[in-house]
Amino acid sequence: MFKSNSFLGVIGHLLIMGVVVAALILGFFYYYLPSTTNHGESISVPKITGMQLQDAEMLLEEQNLRYFINDSTYKPDQKPFQILTQDPAPGSKVKENRKIYISVNMKNPPMIKMPRLIDGSVKNAELILKSYDLRKGKITYVPDLQQNAVLKQFVDGKEIKPGDMVPKGALVDLHVGDGLGETEFEMPKVVGMPVDEASVLLVGQGLQIGNVFYVQGSNEPDGTVVRQRPFAEVGAKIRIGEMVDLWVAGQEPVQGIE
């Protein structure tokens, strides 16, 4: 009889202990853990890109979220301290107190070394400027035999040499050769010459043949230059690379027929 009561007592104690353990487990997972970790609850991340840092900070604080600046850059078309990127993306579901990683536009541009644009083409200069986060400014064509070649580079009106420090995002103005040069000489007279000889003479002196007009009714033999523009007047000057129009006696030759 004594042993039976002892056995029943042990069973009773085990049952009580089981109920207590079960209550503790249920309380931990269904009451304590949700209350401390917001289990099952989430916050939708607001869109803060494009906002000023101060405004975004207030919004995140209201949502029980934090932020961390993990990058900064300089974009001249954006306002200082404007948020450029965020992670997680807007609309993502996160827990309270989650950290939002952002990049911010700097107030002052960093200084970078000016690349070499001189002697390259304008198109090549545009590609180099873009790769350095610099911007193409005003193009000024100046007399030079190097057609479309960059001769000088300027920032804020000051000539900048390759390697000089300039602000990132700066406007770079370029002086570019017009292919003509500054050399002037007396305009050659080709009136009265056969057109083929006149062409050889003009090209040999660095000039270009412009329009060739054929006129009929001239007293000159066919193929003779009867007029030119610019005129070869006394004291008339011309620059290398400029064009000369010719008027030639006779009918225009048919292409492909000798």
Side-chain angles (χ1 to χ4, degrees), residues 22-34:
L24 290 173
I25 293 174
L26 291 173
F28 177 79
F29 283 103
Y30 290 95
Y31 294 98
Y32 175 77
L33 192 60

Side-chain angles (χ1 to χ4, degrees), residues 12-23:
H13 282 88
L14 290 174
L15 288 174
I16 293 172
M17 291 176 62
V19 170
V20 171
V21 170

Side-chain angles (χ1 to χ4, degrees), residues 176-188:
V176 178
D178 61 5
L180 300 179
E182 296 179 333
T183 304
E184 288 187 341
F185 54 92
E186 187 175 343
M187 176 67 206

Side-chain angles (χ1 to χ4, degrees), residues 18 31 42 46 95 101 146 156 160-161 191 215 228 246 251-252:
Y31 294 98
S42 61
K95 298 293 181 62
Y101 295 91
Q146 299 183 77
D156 293 331
I160 301 296
K161 296 180 180 179
V191 173
V215 295
Q228 68 181 73
L246 301 175
Q251 293 184 343
E252 182 176 0

Side-chain angles (χ1 to χ4, degrees), residues 63-89:
Q63 301 286 333
N64 293 323
L65 297 171
R66 298 179 296 152
Y67 73 90
F68 178 79
I69 301 175
N70 64 347
D71 190 22
S72 60
T73 186
Y74 179 76
K75 293 185 177 296
D77 56 339
Q78 305 288 340
K79 296 179 179 179
F81 305 115
Q82 184 172 328
I83 296 177
L84 303 175
T85 64
Q86 68 176 88
D87 182 33

Side-chain angles (χ1 to χ4, degrees), residues 165-232:
M165 302 304 292
V166 296
K168 190 175 183 179
L171 278 172
V172 180
D173 300 325
L174 303 175
H175 279 190
V176 178
D178 61 5
L180 300 179
E182 296 179 333
T183 304
E184 288 187 341
F185 54 92
E186 187 175 343
M187 176 67 206
K189 181 179 180 180
V190 294
V191 173
M193 297 176 58
V195 65
D196 53 350
E197 293 182 14
S199 298
V200 171
L201 174 63
L202 294 173
V203 172
Q205 296 196 29
L207 301 173
Q208 301 183 60
I209 305 300
N211 297 311
V212 178
F213 306 97
Y214 285 86
V215 295
Q216 299 183 29
S218 172
N219 295 326
E220 298 291 337
D222 289 352
T224 302
V225 177
V226 296
R227 183 185 171 195
Q228 68 181 73
R229 184 175 59 197
F231 304 109

